[in-house]
Amino acid sequence: MSQLSLPEAQLISLVIAAVLYGIYLVTLGVCLRLLLTSESGALRRRSEIRWVITLVSGMLFVNGTLDFVIQVIQVMEAFVTYTGVGGAEHVFTHSSGYQTMIKSFCVPFQSLLGDAVLIYRCWFLWDRSWLIIFVPSLIWLANIACAIRFLDLLAKATQGLIISTAVKPWVQAFWALTITINVTTTTLIVLRIWLVDRQNRKLGIRDHMPRSALSYAMRNIIESGMIYTIVSIFTLVTTVIQSNLTYPASAMEIHSVGIMFNLIILRSHRVASRLRHETTTTGSVPLRIQQRTVTNTVAGDGVEDELYTLSRLDKETQFTTTRLGQSDKPEAVAL
């Protein structure tokens, strides 16, 4: 089988991008409805909106849309408007500088943004521990340096090919570091959820349920991270072998980040709705813990029972445990 030509690779890339971009727009619309409106359909107040998640959604949309528009313009020029020597391949190898640079910027930016969200979730989940995310953050900063160096070399290249020999080592380093960040942060997130779920099981919370809400959340994180990792590995492999399949892989990469981000929100909302329904139908499940406390009785030290209950899982799959009869702010862990 002959090698895939550059025009063929670009056409396949456009088809893949069009399909995935359509899926992304559908999931984005549903996510924005969940983020910006309440269950009754009314707009949320500013204090109720998750601004970090909403801002990231907007940035992913703008960046993904920009890449798709530039790709359509480039294909139109290659197969419709250009009639010179070399045909479509000449357009793709000598395209306008702004087109090459914008497309080459959008893909790593989308991945860096997705990795930043993973690191943020990991940091928040581990009680805002900077030590936990120290190594992933260093890798993320190194990845930024690789992207900057890659773009600098590409701007000086005579032909705008991301599989050229000059930029190849930096592209490979970028995707290798991306895979490392993804695997590391996903593992830490799943480990944290598993530890909390195991502790809940040990203490007797929701023993009557076949699977806890945290188990569903853990599966959600694993599946989303696995898809993102597989696409990143495919992109790395096509870069190593210097195949034109790099272009379809890049199209899959940039839109899979947005789709996976939206799917986590959607599936988390479904888990939250399921837990609220179970809480409504079955009631709260109390957990009785014996704790030794000092009392003011004549006998001296006494033992009092304290009741705890699993309260709710919100739209970001936050797990909260509150003490009955007290008004203290509950501790929350966001997934």
Side-chain angles (χ1 to χ4, degrees):
M1 179 174 154
S2 60
Q3 171 122 3
L4 188 69
S5 66
L6 184 57
E8 292 172 343
Q10 292 286 3
L11 278 177
I12 295 174
S13 176
L14 180 60
V15 173
I16 293 175
V19 174
L20 294 181
Y21 185 70
I23 297 173
Y24 168 70
L25 288 180
V26 173
T27 58
L28 177 64
V30 180
C31 284
L32 290 179
R33 183 179 63 83
L34 296 177
L35 292 172
L36 301 179
T37 63
S38 61
E39 293 183 359
S40 62
L43 288 176
R44 295 182 182 273
R45 291 176 296 184
R46 292 184 179 180
S47 59
E48 297 177 341
I49 297 177
R50 311 280 182 182
W51 287 109
V52 174
I53 302 299
T54 305
L55 179 61
V56 172
S57 297
M59 295 174 67
L60 291 174
F61 168 72
V62 172
N63 188 67
T65 302
L66 179 61
D67 178 83
F68 182 68
V69 169
I70 294 298
Q71 189 172 8
V72 172
I73 293 174
Q74 198 173 37
V75 170
M76 289 291 292
E77 288 181 358
F79 293 99
V80 179
T81 61
Y82 181 75
T83 57
V85 180
E89 186 163 359
H90 176 80
V91 175
F92 291 125
T93 54
H94 300 82
S95 59
S96 301
Y98 83 93
Q99 294 178 0
T100 300
M101 295 307 298
I102 289 177
K103 283 178 59 62
S104 300
F105 167 82
C106 287
V107 176
F109 178 79
Q110 196 88 335
S111 295
L112 287 171
L113 190 57
D115 293 339
V117 172
L118 284 175
I119 294 175
Y120 168 78
R121 289 180 182 275
C122 185
W123 170 77
F124 199 92
L125 190 65
W126 283 89
D127 297 328
R128 296 177 172 86
S129 173
W130 294 101
L131 182 62
I132 287 293
I133 65 167
F134 178 73
V135 173
S137 298
L138 286 182
I139 299 176
W140 186 74
L141 293 175
N143 223 10
I144 293 178
C146 290
I148 293 175
R149 181 56 176 166
F150 154 67
L151 292 174
D152 178 62
L153 292 175
L154 189 63
K156 299 175 182 178
T158 56
Q159 293 185 353
L161 293 177
I162 62 175
I163 59 175
S164 60
T165 305
V167 301
K168 177 183 176 181
W170 296 98
V171 176
Q172 293 176 3
F174 178 86
W175 291 118
L177 292 177
T178 297
I179 295 169
T180 303
I181 294 173
N182 193 349
V183 172
T184 303
T185 53
T186 301
T187 302
L188 288 173
I189 291 173
V190 171
L191 175 63
R192 179 63 168 173
I193 300 174
W194 178 76
L195 290 175
V196 173
D197 192 46
R198 187 183 67 170
Q199 184 68 15
N200 291 343
R201 294 288 184 180
K202 185 183 298 183
L203 297 176
I205 297 181
R206 295 187 177 271
D207 283 335
H208 65 287
M209 294 183 184
R211 296 193 64 178
S212 70
L214 289 180
S215 298
Y216 283 101
M218 186 163 52
R219 189 182 66 179
N220 179 17
I221 297 296
I222 293 175
E223 290 177 353
S224 301
M226 186 180 301
I227 294 175
Y228 183 30
T229 302
I230 291 175
V231 175
S232 298
I233 292 175
F234 178 59
T235 306
L236 175 61
V237 171
T238 56
T239 304
V240 171
I241 64 177
Q242 289 187 295
S243 170
N244 286 327
L245 286 173
T246 299
Y247 297 98
S250 298
M252 294 171 60
E253 178 74 29
I254 190 170
H255 296 296
S256 66
V257 174
I259 292 174
M260 291 305 105
F261 180 81
N262 294 338
L263 287 180
I264 289 178
I265 298 176
L266 293 175
R267 297 179 67 181
S268 299
H269 175 76
R270 185 176 65 178
V271 172
S273 300
R274 172 180 174 269
L275 182 57
R276 282 196 298 269
H277 174 72
E278 291 171 350
T279 304
T280 302
T281 56
T282 64
S284 298
V285 181
L287 168 65
R288 184 176 298 275
I289 302 177
Q290 287 189 340
Q291 179 182 6
R292 183 168 296 276
T293 59
V294 178
T295 64
N296 293 325
T297 60
V298 178
D301 291 346
V303 177
E304 296 179 350
D305 289 341
E306 294 182 338
L307 290 179
Y308 290 78
T309 182
L310 183 66
S311 58
R312 65 185 180 85
L313 202 68
D314 66 11
K315 289 183 176 57
E316 285 187 88
T317 62
Q318 291 186 344
F319 175 76
T320 60
T321 305
T322 58
R323 180 177 301 184
L324 292 180
Q326 295 187 3
S327 59
D328 295 341
K329 183 178 180 181
E331 296 180 356
V333 177
L335 306 183

